[in-house]
Amino acid sequence: MSPLVIRGVRPYGEGDPVDVLVRDGVIAEIGSVSADDVETVDGAGAVLLPGFVDLHTHLREPGREDTETIETGSRAAALGGYTAVFAMANTDPVADNAVIVEHVWRRGREVGLVDVHPVGAVTVGLKGEKLAELGTMAKSAANVRLFSDDGHCVHDPLVMRRALEYSKALDVVVAQHAEEPRLTVGAQAHEGEQAARLGLQGWPAAAEESIVARDCLLALHAGARLHVCHVSTTGTADVLRWAKARGTTVSAEVTPHHLLLTDDRLSTYDPVNKVNPPLRTGTDVQALRRALAEGVIDCVATDHAPHAVQDKDCEWSAARPGMLGLQTALSVVVETMVKTGLLDWRGVARVMSERPAEIAGLPDHGRPIEVGEPANLVLVDPDATWTVRGADLASVAGNTPFEGMELPAVVTATLLRGRVTAGRIPA
């Protein structure tokens, strides 16, 4: 691979534009670079950040390639500024053994647009009854570091305790979809004024908060690492704040849609707004933003969930929950966190790159923009805007809740180990 110079970029949006020389996949020089026989990317004053890491992506392969594939999902991720994604286990067949996780890992390497890391299931078939082959998956070629039954809660406390104990021995992380299923039977929307007005069965905040509190205690006593998926309520943020103060090794993520959208969107009964956990209230949105800025919530994860038209273009109760997120995540974070003054560009790097890489144990992602570090990078035009059109996104599916919205910030190029995977082609 030829050396490459990125001309005129501002690392973390700070200072005057500089050049960045990349050689053999590593940042070799930062400053005013004079070099011959190199490829060139015109940074045009863009903000330069470490490539983003998504701990929560649904790539649907194997089994539902009609909605997404590892190739199309990887392309969407690269266009969104991501250099690594974690593919959830709720595929068909479920990624609960070494054969499936190695297939996902190898297919990701073949596509080569982002580093695809499979997430292993915690329990066999996501049924919450019997632990899956955690050790075999962790020691496989896929080197699984993150385990989750996402889409299903590991609701049995004994099973969850055993999973945490095994995870400590394996030095891996258990990520929980926090939903007490006995409190959400038939639930269709956040339990509150809007659901009552629309005649939709309520999804109580306590269904999430009670599981998070339970699991934080289990993790504390096991000395294990717990990660909480898609935090959505004020109460959950309070529980996390309490648990961290007690010394619990717990991390948490929030989705872009829970940072921006509220259950007011449900008034049209458009299933594009149906998601699990559901869109909450404006009070919850503000609390989640504050918790992310404070570090109580560690990172942003997309919960990118593509669905076929027939699974979304139907009556509300029959629709599948989930939204696209990979190509819109940065823009939503800029809209909700940067434009509001809650985060600067270093803060964006922290919540979209550095912390998720630390949580998952990725040594080559989320690294500082310094000489000698891996060139996993993203260029962002902070002044540009774009209008979201589901049909124009790289995913097979088009179920974006941001359809027609004008959002800030545009990814102009993404580099994986110094190779341009999206955006501007070297001049």
Side-chain angles (χ1 to χ4, degrees), residues 8 39 77 118 122 166 210 219 229 232 286 312 316 338 374 412 419 422:
E39 295 181 325
V122 176
Y166 275 106
S210 60
C229 296
S232 70
Q286 294 302 319
K312 277 293 190 182
W316 178 276
V338 177
T412 58
R419 178 172 58 88

Side-chain angles (χ1 to χ4, degrees), residues 123-196:
T123 65
V124 176
L126 308 178
K127 295 180 179 179
E129 298 170 355
K130 178 182 177 182
L131 287 183
E133 301 170 3
L134 307 187
T136 303
M137 288 187 279
K139 296 173 183 177
S140 71
N143 189 33
V144 177
R145 300 291 91 192
L146 192 66
F147 292 86
S148 180
D149 276 5
D150 183 62
H152 302 271
C153 179
V154 183
H155 62 276
D156 187 320
L158 181 59
V159 174
M160 188 61 178
R161 181 185 181 188
R162 293 287 181 259
L164 288 166
E165 289 171 344
Y166 275 106
S167 73
K168 180 185 179 183
L170 295 169
D171 191 25
V172 297
V173 180
V174 175
Q176 175 70 294
H177 173 109
E179 176 187 354
E180 169 49 69
R182 288 167 294 187
L183 293 177
T184 60
V185 175
Q188 295 291 321
H190 169 67
E191 184 179 83
E193 182 179 333
Q194 185 76 328

Side-chain angles (χ1 to χ4, degrees), residues 16 19 85 123 150-151 171 174 181 265 291 367 420:
D16 295 326
D19 302 333
V85 299
T123 65
D150 183 62
D171 191 25
V174 175
R265 293 276 301 233
R367 299 296 303 162
V420 177

Side-chain angles (χ1 to χ4, degrees), residues 78-277:
L79 288 166
Y82 288 90
T83 52
V85 299
F86 283 74
M88 281 293 168
N90 58 340
T91 51
D92 184 14
V94 173
D96 58 6
N97 60 78
V99 173
I100 303 301
V101 295
E102 287 184 352
H103 164 77
V104 173
W105 174 72
R106 289 195 174 94
R107 184 68 188 121
R109 285 169 62 90
E110 290 170 2
V111 173
L113 295 174
V114 297
D115 287 344
V116 176
H117 298 277
V119 175
V122 176
T123 65
V124 176
L126 308 178
K127 295 180 179 179
E129 298 170 355
K130 178 182 177 182
L131 287 183
E133 301 170 3
L134 307 187
T136 303
M137 288 187 279
K139 296 173 183 177
S140 71
N143 189 33
V144 177
R145 300 291 91 192
L146 192 66
F147 292 86
S148 180
D149 276 5
D150 183 62
H152 302 271
C153 179
V154 183
H155 62 276
D156 187 320
L158 181 59
V159 174
M160 188 61 178
R161 181 185 181 188
R162 293 287 181 259
L164 288 166
E165 289 171 344
Y166 275 106
S167 73
K168 180 185 179 183
L170 295 169
D171 191 25
V172 297
V173 180
V174 175
Q176 175 70 294
H177 173 109
E179 176 187 354
E180 169 49 69
R182 288 167 294 187
L183 293 177
T184 60
V185 175
Q188 295 291 321
H190 169 67
E191 184 179 83
E193 182 179 333
Q194 185 76 328
R197 181 183 300 113
L198 298 173
L200 297 174
Q201 179 72 33
W203 201 113
E208 175 175 304
E209 296 157 6
S210 60
I211 292 293
V212 174
R214 182 202 75 177
D215 288 352
C216 283
L217 289 170
L218 291 175
L220 178 62
H221 288 289
R225 290 187 289 157
L226 170 71
H227 181 73
V228 181
C229 296
H230 39 52
V231 171
S232 70
T233 77
T234 303
T236 298
D238 291 339
V239 171
L240 290 168
R241 190 176 286 107
W242 166 81
K244 289 188 174 189
R246 291 195 65 187
T248 309
T249 308
V250 57
S251 57
E253 68 191 37
V254 63
T255 70
H257 48 269
H258 284 115
L259 290 173
L260 180 60
L261 307 178
T262 72
D263 62 349
D264 288 343
R265 293 276 301 233
L266 275 55
S267 60
T268 62
Y269 291 98
D270 186 343
V272 76
N273 297 304
K274 186 176 182 180
V275 67
N276 185 357

